[in-house]
């Protein structure tokens, strides 16, 4: 059950990540492929990097919490 919840959590955070990326790059891909605005893509790379790092940290928080709980239990075992 916990594995299922973790998988659903990863899918949720991944969906949010894709939504944020679509918001950042939405204006860059508004035209056809030959007229893609390269300047908008380059300007969107830095926020994309930070959004990706933030989403990875949020997605991995349950793993860190589980590791801390296991470490505390092992101290008293």
């Amino acid at each position: 059950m916990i594995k299922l919840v973790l998988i659903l959590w990863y899918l949720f955070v991944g969906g949010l990540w894709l939504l944020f990326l679509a918001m950042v790059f939405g204006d860059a891909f508004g035209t056809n492929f030959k007229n893609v605005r390269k300047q908008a893509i380059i300007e969107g790379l830095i926020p994309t990097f930070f959004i990706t790092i933030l989403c990875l940290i949020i997605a991995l928080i349950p793993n860190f919490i589980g590791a801390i709980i296991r470490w505390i239990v092992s101290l008293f075992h």
Side-chain angles (χ1 to χ4, degrees):
M1 183 68 182
I2 292 176
K3 298 286 184 186
L4 177 66
V5 172
L6 277 175
I7 290 170
L8 292 175
W9 174 252
Y10 295 147
L11 289 174
F12 174 70
V13 174
L16 284 178
W17 176 68
L18 289 175
L19 179 70
F20 289 147
L21 291 184
M23 289 172 25
V24 168
F25 290 117
D27 61 340
F29 298 104
T31 60
N32 63 14
F33 187 69
K34 290 185 178 183
N35 296 330
V36 170
R37 293 184 33 210
K38 292 176 181 67
Q39 184 66 29
I41 292 173
I42 293 170
E43 290 173 356
L45 288 178
I46 293 174
T48 301
F49 175 74
F50 288 114
I51 289 171
T52 303
I53 297 299
L54 179 68
C55 285
L56 283 173
I57 290 172
I58 291 171
L60 293 175
I61 282 176
N63 291 342
F64 292 129
I65 292 172
I68 290 171
I69 291 171
R70 277 187 242 122
W71 178 70
I72 291 172
V73 168
S74 71
L75 287 177
F76 296 109
H77 194 301

